[in-house]
Amino acid sequence: MEIFTHNAGAYLPVGDARIFYEAIGDAGRPVLLLLHGGFGNMEDFNSLLPLFIDRYYVIGIDSRGQGKSTLGKEKLSYQRIQLDVEAVLQSLDIDSFSILGFSDGGIVAYRLGSFSSMTIERIITIGSRWNINDALLTKALFLKITADSWKERFPNMYSDYQRLNPEPDFELLTRSMIDLWLDAGPSGYPNENVERINCPTLVVRGEKDHLLTAKSVMDLSKRIKNSTLFSIPFAGHVAHQGQREVFDIVVGQFLQK
């Protein structure tokens, strides 16, 4: 089975940054875009690929500053990542696609669904905030994060970053990520603009997710007309790993609708 390796992809220059992407499967199939979470990279989705590769042309993108993509000098924001994603897809002559986004990747998916002129067939998000109020609830937690504390708590993520990134600066990335999470301006969360999303949307939340409240996703599911809320029992923020069999069944059914 093909997986993301960071060896078969390519770079797209976007401003003073270089955005890395990689594609798997038959280019004649419908496109599924995979967007990873904060401090992660496309390889985080390798365990999920068996769900998708028989029916989709799967594209993974390393978000700006993460994985193999460089940070550049622009402010890191969800809007900036959204524009990077659009630039990659436009360079590949893709204007219709579905998205699966985890955490930060799902927030970018909400922005794409809210603001992009491209055709989005379906959206799946996992553990993804959609408004600044969610972020403010965990502001104290975010402000305690340092490069050293993250490195100590998530050593594998740090080692992957050091292995992959051509211009590693973990201190700068950490500061940039905290600013990203707490961005209260128009370049941040889509907020009430999620009501513009008109494609089928599956909102996945782990029952024990400490970064996203049940109340928030209930509100979100009311705002997105064609949405389904899927709460995974006993699972935390990384809900697709916490209850994998249940996740696979529901996502498979959603994609076949």
Side-chain angles (χ1 to χ4, degrees):
M1 185 191 78
E2 287 186 272
I3 59 173
F4 293 125
T5 63
H6 284 95
N7 295 322
Y11 275 110
L12 178 72
V14 183
D16 63 350
R18 291 181 295 147
I19 307 302
F20 186 83
Y21 64 92
E22 195 167 324
I24 293 176
D26 183 349
R29 292 175 177 162
V31 174
L32 177 65
L33 175 67
L34 301 183
L35 301 176
H36 63 78
F39 289 100
N41 66 79
M42 66 178 71
E43 291 181 26
D44 298 342
F45 290 115
N46 278 344
S47 65
L48 295 184
L49 289 178
L51 268 175
F52 311 123
I53 57 174
D54 289 338
R55 67 180 86 168
Y56 286 102
Y57 182 51
V58 182
I59 297 174
I61 299 178
D62 283 346
S63 293
R64 179 176 289 243
Q66 298 155 77
K68 213 169 178 177
S69 294
T70 64
L71 185 59
K73 294 182 180 178
E74 279 192 57
K75 171 190 171 185
L76 184 64
S77 70
Y78 292 119
Q79 181 183 49
R80 180 64 267 171
I81 298 173
Q82 172 203 337
L83 295 173
D84 292 342
V85 167
E86 290 177 326
V88 169
L89 295 175
Q90 287 165 1
S91 76
L92 297 172
D93 293 323
I94 292 170
D95 59 7
S96 177
F97 55 96
S98 296
I99 315 171
L100 185 150
F102 166 61
S103 196
D104 282 352
I107 298 167
V108 176
Y110 290 145
R111 283 196 60 97
L112 285 161
S114 301
F115 301 119
S116 180
S117 61
M118 305 177 88
T119 300
I120 302 176
E121 302 290 343
R122 295 176 186 274
I123 293 174
I124 302 169
T125 65
I126 308 164
S128 300
R129 298 180 299 275
W130 61 278
N131 69 76
I132 184 60
N133 294 327
D134 290 340
L136 294 179
L137 290 175
T138 51
K139 180 177 180 178
L141 175 65
F142 291 155
L143 292 177
K144 289 179 182 178
I145 294 172
T146 65
D148 287 339
S149 69
W150 193 274
K151 191 187 314 183
E152 182 177 351
R153 186 173 181 186
F154 303 105
N156 290 338
M157 296 182 83
Y158 173 72
S159 62
D160 285 344
Y161 170 78
Q162 292 295 124
R163 169 176 62 91
L164 294 169
N165 202 274
E167 300 174 2
D169 186 337
F170 200 65
E171 292 276 354
L172 176 58
L173 177 62
T174 301
R175 294 194 301 271
S176 299
M177 294 300 296
I178 294 168
D179 289 343
L180 170 82
W181 296 334
L182 295 175
D183 183 357
S187 62
Y189 298 89
N191 299 307
E192 68 278 359
N193 291 296
V194 293
E195 295 174 8
R196 300 180 182 181
I197 298 174
N198 56 24
C199 65
T201 301
L202 179 64
V203 179
V204 181
R205 176 185 178 269
E207 182 185 35
K208 299 183 182 298
D209 191 337
H210 65 295
L211 297 177
L212 179 64
T213 67
K215 181 179 181 299
S216 177
V217 292
M218 287 291 291
D219 186 11
L220 176 64
S221 67
K222 294 174 183 176
R223 290 174 180 267
I224 300 177
K225 293 178 182 178
N226 195 3
S227 66
T228 300
L229 175 58
F230 174 34
S231 178
I232 303 184
F234 312 114
H237 185 58
V238 193
H240 53 297
Q241 293 180 5
Q243 292 285 333
R244 180 59 192 279
E245 291 183 3
V246 176
F247 176 84
D248 286 3
I249 291 170
V250 173
V251 169
Q253 290 177 345
F254 175 75
L255 292 174
Q256 290 174 1
K257 287 173 60 178

